């Protein structure tokens, strides 16, 4: 069994809501909401983002996924600020930062890329 299997993994469920009609108000534009569920108080996450403008991926790890996503979306991160907006496509949670960092490193490797392709994540 792989070392990372003690982490919890989800393919992100993205819910879309749109309000129809021939002339909906501007406030009724479609929006995407991501629901994140965590089982432990302090968890570390390894995540994958997809740029909606370029289609490229970003791999990262954090201890607060919601805050980190907000930082990427707002352009406060040097590595992602010119390629947004971003879509969260996958994440896994771990009990320790070391496990999350190890998994992020795996995702960035050729073997990790192959695994992500085989699982149809990217």
């Amino acid at each position: 069994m792989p070392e990372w299997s003690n982490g919890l993994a989800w393919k992100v469920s993205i819910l879309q809501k749109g309000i129809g009609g021939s002339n909906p108000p501007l406030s009724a534009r479609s929006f995407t909401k991501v629901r994140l569920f965590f089982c432990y108080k302090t968890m570390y996450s390894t995540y994958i983002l997809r740029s909606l403008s370029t289609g490229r991926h970003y791999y990262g790890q954090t201890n607060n996924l919601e805050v980190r996503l907000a930082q990427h979306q707002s352009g406060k991160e040097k590595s992602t600020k010119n390629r947004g907006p971003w879509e969260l496509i996958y994440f896994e949670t771990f009990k320790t930062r070391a496990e999350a960092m190890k998994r992020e490193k795996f995702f960035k490797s050729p073997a990790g890329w192959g695994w992500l392709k085989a699982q149809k994540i990217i």
Side-chain angles (χ1 to χ4, degrees), residues 70-108:
Q71 290 172 342
H72 285 299
Q73 296 292 22
S74 68
K76 292 182 180 177
E77 292 303 314
K78 184 178 180 181
S79 59
T80 59
K81 77 178 197 177
N82 294 324
R83 296 186 284 149
W86 294 94
E87 168 186 40
L88 177 65
I89 60 170
Y90 185 76
F91 71 95
E92 295 177 358
T93 59
F94 300 91
K95 292 180 183 179
T96 66
R97 175 170 239 120
E99 291 173 312
M101 291 173 75
K102 188 174 184 177
R103 190 65 169 160
E104 177 190 4
K105 188 174 181 178
F106 171 74
F107 285 157
K108 292 177 178 180

Side-chain angles (χ1 to χ4, degrees), residues 48-59 73 79-89:
I48 302 173
L49 303 176
R50 179 184 298 130
S51 170
L52 296 177
S53 61
T54 65
R56 295 187 65 184
H57 295 96
Y58 177 83
Y59 307 90
Q73 296 292 22
S79 59
T80 59
K81 77 178 197 177
N82 294 324
R83 296 186 284 149
W86 294 94
E87 168 186 40
L88 177 65
I89 60 170

Side-chain angles (χ1 to χ4, degrees), residues 13-20 24-35:
S13 163
I14 300 177
L15 307 172
Q16 293 187 349
K17 178 181 177 186
I19 298 173
L26 291 176
S27 62
R29 289 185 200 164
S30 296
F31 67 92
T32 301
K33 187 175 185 179
V34 176
R35 290 196 174 171

